[in-house]
Amino acid sequence: MSEIELHLHIPVPSARPGDAPCFDHIPIPAAGETRRPDVSATEAEMRDLPYGMVRILDGEGSAVGPWASAEDPDFLRQGLRAMTQTRIFEDRLFRAHRQGKTSFFMKSTGEEAIGVAQSMVLAADDMCFPTYRVQGWLIARGYPIVDMINQIYSNARDPLKGRQLPILYSARDYGFYSLSGNVGSRFGHAVGWAMASAYKGDHRIALGYIGDGTTAEGDFHEALTFAAVYRAPVILAITNNQWAISSFSGIAGAEQTTFAAKAIGYGLPGLRVDGNDFLAVAAATRWAAERARANLGATLIEFVTYRASGHSTSDDPTKYRPADEAAHWPLGDPIVRLKTHLIAIGEWSEARHSQMEAELTEAVHAAQREADAVGTLGASKPAVAEMFEGVFKHPDWRVIEQRREMGL
């Protein structure tokens, strides 16, 4: 018998710089096509859902299908405002980085619906374990823009006292757990926090985020095991924005199946959701939260979206994907889609939108002027003594000795 030579399969993206953008490999059903099961349904009754996609807004801005519900127009306008403010804020701070005012920055352009909608749907005392691109969570909850800028500048009024990299926010009072550069840890921490809440007989649930690339790490699988075994009251969100820095989602297994389908191996419900559809994100999150609060356990949600900007200010995406790829993303712009829906139902207008953009732009500029006055990168720093605070509840001898050596 002749032997067949083995070949190693190396996944490659559908388009590289200079090629025509192509997203034909991503299955996208029509809006309203994916069914909505009862919240109390068993996982075995929902194994088709990871292969569909929860979509509510169609091409004309109408809300259709079983996941659609009568939303309060004020809720939708609030979501539109928070998404718009997030984008204006990020564009402004990206320019601040180019002006040398900060060392590092990351944008969530094209992904704003995820952080904003989930922030608005979940309770004030639930806990979010975030990734880099959910600044909209804080903005939707009214976190002061000037405090975000002071943190980015690492200046004397940095609420984190210089202990974190720029954009790695932490705000317990806003349900926003400390960000971490080790993204995979978000799932494990979210599951552990949720297990503790259940163990104590509390009412709070957790939300954890990771990107598509992190699903290839051990943290992801360990967290899903614990979430399933202990029925942790947690929502586990995979932001599939097609790129993990410069590695496309196929490196993490997107060619084989959907990321939502990974839930099946753990006996967890999996949803695949249009991440650029504010209404769909809100509806899927409510559904998963209701399951968690009813002691029915965790839900894994894959939000299908697109990272329109670079991974960070250190990244040039034109080196590894077509320069105009974002313009061809088939799920569109989440801000435009929600605006179109509000106009279609008579609750918004282009004139009102332009006025809102002008107001939000001035608000961001005012906050930046206030932060600039405190100091930008290197011009103003937290007091050196701050490094010794908050390390231990009761300072041990090493902290005391180090402070003494520094004359503090």
Side-chain angles (χ1 to χ4, degrees):
M1 183 178 70
S2 61
E3 293 185 355
I4 299 175
E5 183 179 353
L6 298 175
H7 296 280
L8 183 66
H9 172 66
I10 307 296
V12 295
S14 59
R16 284 295 194 186
D19 297 336
C22 179
F23 292 103
D24 293 345
H25 58 288
I26 301 176
I28 301 175
E33 181 177 304
T34 298
R35 69 185 183 90
R36 184 186 187 280
D38 187 83
V39 167
S40 62
T42 65
E43 181 274 329
E45 299 174 284
M46 296 186 275
R47 292 181 181 169
D48 58 312
L49 294 181
Y51 304 101
M53 185 184 291
V54 178
R55 304 187 65 210
I56 293 176
L57 292 175
D58 65 15
E60 287 70 49
S62 298
V64 299
W67 289 87
S69 61
E71 294 284 6
D72 182 349
D74 285 339
F75 173 83
L76 299 179
R77 281 189 288 265
Q78 182 184 348
L80 180 64
R81 184 180 185 87
M83 287 196 294
T84 304
Q85 187 171 34
T86 300
R87 187 168 297 182
I88 291 170
F89 164 77
E90 292 181 349
D91 287 345
R92 185 72 180 179
L93 269 294
F94 181 87
R95 289 195 294 272
H97 171 269
R98 295 303 192 231
Q99 295 165 352
K101 294 182 177 181
T102 185
S103 61
F104 183 73
F105 193 69
M106 303 178 84
K107 299 172 71 177
S108 63
T109 308
E111 303 176 39
E112 296 92 346
I114 300 170
V116 169
Q118 296 201 289
S119 176
M120 293 173 62
V121 165
L122 294 180
D125 55 355
D126 291 333
M127 186 59 73
C128 166
F129 292 76
T131 54
Y132 311 122
R133 303 182 207 282
V134 288
Q135 293 93 314
W137 175 286
L138 291 172
I139 289 174
R141 295 195 169 197
Y143 188 81
I145 294 292
V146 67
D147 287 350
M148 296 179 75
I149 300 175
N150 286 332
Q151 194 279 327
I152 292 165
Y153 287 171
S154 300
N155 64 22
R157 293 187 185 171
D158 172 6
L160 304 185
K161 310 300 183 182
R163 292 185 175 90
Q164 274 281 30
L165 288 168
I167 66 88
L168 299 190
Y169 313 105
S170 179
R172 178 182 296 184
D173 292 344
Y174 293 79
F176 199 85
Y177 197 84
S178 300
L179 265 158
S180 171
N182 298 315
V183 180
S185 66
R186 303 300 81 195
F187 263 23
H189 292 171
V191 171
W193 192 96
M195 288 172 60
S197 180
Y199 183 78
K200 293 184 295 185
D202 205 337
H203 63 278
R204 298 174 295 168
I205 67 172
L207 165 68
Y209 287 102
I210 61 170
D212 49 277
T214 309
T215 64
E217 297 181 6
D219 295 292
F220 169 76
H221 301 281
E222 292 165 4
L224 262 64
T225 297
F226 275 79
V229 170
Y230 297 101
R231 297 185 185 175
V234 63
I235 302 170
L236 298 171
I238 301 169
T239 303
N240 177 10
N241 62 15
Q242 314 308 311
W243 293 94
I245 310 183
S246 58
S247 298
F248 89 113
S249 59
I251 297 295
E255 289 183 341
Q256 280 66 43
T257 188
T258 69
F259 291 108
K262 294 179 183 291
I264 296 174
Y266 297 89
L268 293 173
L271 295 179
R272 188 165 166 265
V273 177
D274 180 345
N276 288 27
D277 180 342
F278 179 89
L279 274 69
V281 175
T285 303
R286 286 194 190 102
W287 185 90
E290 189 176 345
R291 283 185 59 87
R293 297 190 203 282
N295 286 310
L296 295 173
T299 301
L300 182 71
I301 305 179
E302 174 190 353
F303 290 109
V304 182
T305 184
Y306 182 82
R307 195 198 75 210
S309 298
H311 175 73
S312 71
T313 47
S314 303
D315 175 46
D316 179 4
T318 64
K319 299 294 185 181
Y320 53 80
R321 68 188 193 191
D324 62 341
E325 189 175 73
H328 295 269
W329 174 242
L331 295 178
D333 183 319
I335 294 176
V336 172
R337 290 178 67 187
L338 183 55
K339 180 184 75 170
T340 300
H341 173 65
L342 279 164
I343 292 174
I345 62 176
E347 294 289 347
W348 200 239
S349 68
E350 291 289 356
R352 291 176 69 181
H353 194 80
S354 296
Q355 180 181 0
M356 180 186 71
E357 286 182 321
E359 292 172 354
L360 294 176
T361 298
E362 177 50 36
V364 171
H365 287 186
Q368 186 181 20
R369 288 193 294 268
E370 183 179 344
D372 284 355
V374 177
T376 59
L377 179 65
S380 167
K381 301 177 182 177
V384 174
E386 292 288 353
M387 75 170 72
F388 300 107
E389 302 298 330
V391 181
F392 298 103
K393 182 177 181 179
H394 302 292
D396 76 349
W397 68 269
R398 288 163 292 191
V399 172
I400 295 171
E401 180 64 18
Q402 288 165 1
R403 290 194 68 151
R404 186 193 63 78
E405 290 175 356
M406 294 193 69
L408 301 171

